[in-house]
């Protein structure tokens, strides 16, 4: 509807003019008795009710004619959804590419399962919709910041770009990526904003304690002019696909500098990040790339539990010595 034609809507109250005329016509008038009045008084009451119904229908018809004439001048636009049509969607995919998505479920990674969910979401789009994508890594990264028409070539391009995960991404900033998605400019004035998050739902990166930022996203969704929707597609695993996730989280010396021939004590902290209890394993101490310094036994750990093991080592020469601890366990994350 144009700015000029919208002024005609102010004339809609004129549709009430027939009602006003009808009410004025029914004003009480002075009754004058005359000779034939007695015959009119005996008229069939059913005929009177028929006249009243005809008057009412005629009144409604006059109102409808005026209202249709005014609306024809104003030319209002009716949303397609009111008539069962298709709403144009402005879809922004937010795809989790943290380190945990490289988890191997026996030949298939969580990232590959996430791509299956992405393809399913893209199948719902029509050629009149718009498409963009954000990679949720250590910082939100737009794959396509400019809205693309959701045709088959654009869908295929998005999937192909996502097949190569971001290297070195330790965690995914989920909250920051969603903020980026909802702050993006609309692809079309009448398009609904749809945000779909595809994730393995690991806890880190969501920042649930930042309630003010989450409330701000909810407010943006509510105030989006053409409607909004947010969905989360979670990578699933079966009950048999348990996560064995043991990790060396810290390797700490008891001093910063060591004299020649003076022993240094190293403490390795091992934690079970998995969803099931771990089995006992071996920690291998190593100097440089080739020299083995010793082995340590790691007991079975419950989920979330941790333990420490120590090594005492005296450097054989001056300079910088690289000491490392390698955990030998059936970890599904490389």
């Amino acid at each position: 509807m144009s700015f000029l034609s919208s002024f005609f809507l102010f004339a809609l109250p004129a549709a009430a003019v027939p009602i006003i005329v009808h009410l004025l016509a029914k004003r009480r008038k002075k009754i004058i008795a005359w000779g034939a009045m007695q015959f009119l008084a005996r008229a069939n009451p059913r005929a009177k009710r028929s006249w009243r119904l005809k008057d009412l229908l005629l009144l409604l018809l006059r109102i409808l004619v005026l209202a249709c004439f005014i609306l024809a001048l104003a030319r209002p636009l009716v949303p397609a959804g009111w008539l069962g049509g298709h709403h144009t969607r402005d879809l922004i995919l937010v795809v989790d590419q943290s380190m945990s998505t490289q988890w191997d479920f026996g030949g298939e990674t969580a990232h590959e399962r996430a791509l299956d969910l992405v393809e399913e979401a893209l199948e719902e789009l029509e050629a009149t919709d718009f498409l963009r994508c954000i990679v949720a890594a250590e910082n939100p990264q737009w794959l396509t910041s400019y809205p693309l028409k959701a045709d088959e070539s654009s869908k295929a391009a998005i999937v192909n770009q996502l097949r190569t995960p971001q290297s070195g991404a330790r965690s995914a900033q989920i909250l920051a990526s969603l903020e980026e998605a909802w702050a993006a400019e609309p692809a079309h004035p009448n398009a609904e904003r749809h945000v779909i998050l595809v994730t393995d739902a690991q806890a880190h990166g969501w920042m649930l304690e930042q309630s003010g930022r989450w409330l701000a996203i909810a407010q943006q969704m509510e105030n989006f002019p053409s409607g909004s929707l947010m969905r989360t597609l979670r990578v699933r695993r079966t009950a048999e696909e348990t996560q064995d996730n043991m990790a060396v989280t810290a390797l700490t010396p008891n001093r910063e500098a060591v004299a020649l021939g003076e022993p240094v004590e190293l403490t390795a902290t091992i934690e079970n990040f998995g969803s099931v209890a771990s089995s006992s394993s071996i920690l291998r101490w190593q100097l440089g790339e080739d020299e083995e310094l010793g082995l340590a036994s790691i007991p079975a750990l419950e989920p979330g539990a941790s333990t420490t093991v120590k090594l005492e080592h005296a450097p054989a020469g001056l300079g910088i010595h690289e000491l490392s601890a390698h955990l030998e366990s059936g970890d599904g994350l490389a």
Side-chain angles (χ1 to χ4, degrees), residues 26-316:
K26 291 185 66 175
R27 285 190 307 175
R28 192 178 185 90
K29 297 180 173 59
K30 185 177 179 181
I31 298 176
I32 301 176
W34 57 295
M37 180 66 72
Q38 55 180 328
F39 302 107
L40 291 176
R42 297 173 186 170
N44 192 348
R46 184 176 298 177
K48 293 181 179 179
R49 287 195 295 270
S50 176
W51 297 336
R52 289 172 184 167
L53 180 59
K54 290 179 181 178
D55 285 344
L56 181 59
L57 290 176
L58 183 60
L59 173 63
L60 293 176
L61 184 60
R62 290 168 176 167
I63 295 172
L64 184 61
V65 168
L66 276 175
C68 289
F69 179 72
I70 294 169
L71 290 174
L73 293 175
R75 290 178 296 172
L77 298 177
V78 178
W82 292 7
L83 304 176
H86 168 65
H87 282 289
T88 300
R89 287 168 288 193
D90 175 16
L91 174 65
I92 300 180
L93 281 170
V94 179
V95 183
D96 182 353
Q97 286 199 2
S98 59
M99 183 185 294
S100 61
T101 60
Q102 295 307 306
W103 194 276
D104 191 348
F105 293 101
E108 185 183 31
T109 65
H111 176 70
E112 290 169 336
R113 292 186 179 182
L115 284 183
D116 293 338
L117 296 176
V118 168
E119 290 179 330
E120 290 176 11
L122 294 181
E123 286 177 1
E124 300 176 5
L125 296 181
E126 299 184 12
T128 55
D129 297 326
F130 295 90
L131 173 63
R132 283 175 279 183
C133 184
I134 295 177
V135 170
E138 292 188 349
N139 293 297
Q141 300 175 23
W142 284 96
L143 281 186
T144 51
S145 59
Y146 186 81
L148 304 174
K149 280 288 188 181
D151 52 30
E152 294 304 318
S153 61
S154 297
K155 296 177 185 179
I158 291 291
V159 173
N160 288 334
Q161 285 183 284
L162 290 172
R163 289 197 187 281
T164 304
Q166 299 293 313
S167 59
R170 294 173 55 193
S171 61
Q173 296 301 320
I174 301 295
L175 175 57
S177 299
L178 292 176
E179 288 175 328
E180 188 82 11
W182 284 105
E185 289 293 324
H188 188 274
N190 297 322
E192 287 184 349
R193 170 62 52 83
H194 287 215
V195 175
I196 297 181
L197 170 63
V198 182
T199 177
D200 62 349
Q202 296 300 306
H204 190 73
W206 290 78
M207 298 184 183
L208 297 179
E209 71 280 0
Q210 301 283 340
S211 58
R213 294 169 67 182
W214 284 103
L215 287 173
I217 289 178
Q219 190 67 37
Q220 284 179 298
M221 291 179 60
E222 186 177 343
N223 295 336
F224 207 80
S226 301
S228 63
L229 176 70
M230 184 160 68
R231 287 192 292 160
T232 299
L233 304 181
R234 180 179 176 181
V235 175
R236 298 293 181 181
R237 65 175 187 269
T238 64
E240 292 77 19
E241 293 173 335
T242 57
Q243 289 184 305
D244 299 325
N245 190 1
M246 297 280 288
V248 179
T249 58
L251 189 60
T252 311
N254 63 343
R255 61 188 69 189
E256 295 183 0
V258 182
L260 183 62
E262 183 181 7
V264 60
E265 185 180 73
L266 296 173
T267 301
T269 303
I270 298 92
E271 187 170 350
N272 181 9
F273 291 95
S275 57
V276 294
S278 67
S279 56
S280 58
S281 55
I282 299 296
L283 184 76
R284 187 181 301 277
W285 294 99
Q286 190 169 309
L287 176 63
E289 295 183 0
D290 304 318
E291 185 177 349
E292 188 175 292
L293 298 179
L295 301 175
S297 177
I298 307 299
L301 297 175
E302 293 295 322
S306 63
T307 188
T308 58
V309 293
K310 298 181 183 296
L311 169 74
E312 192 174 90
H313 173 70

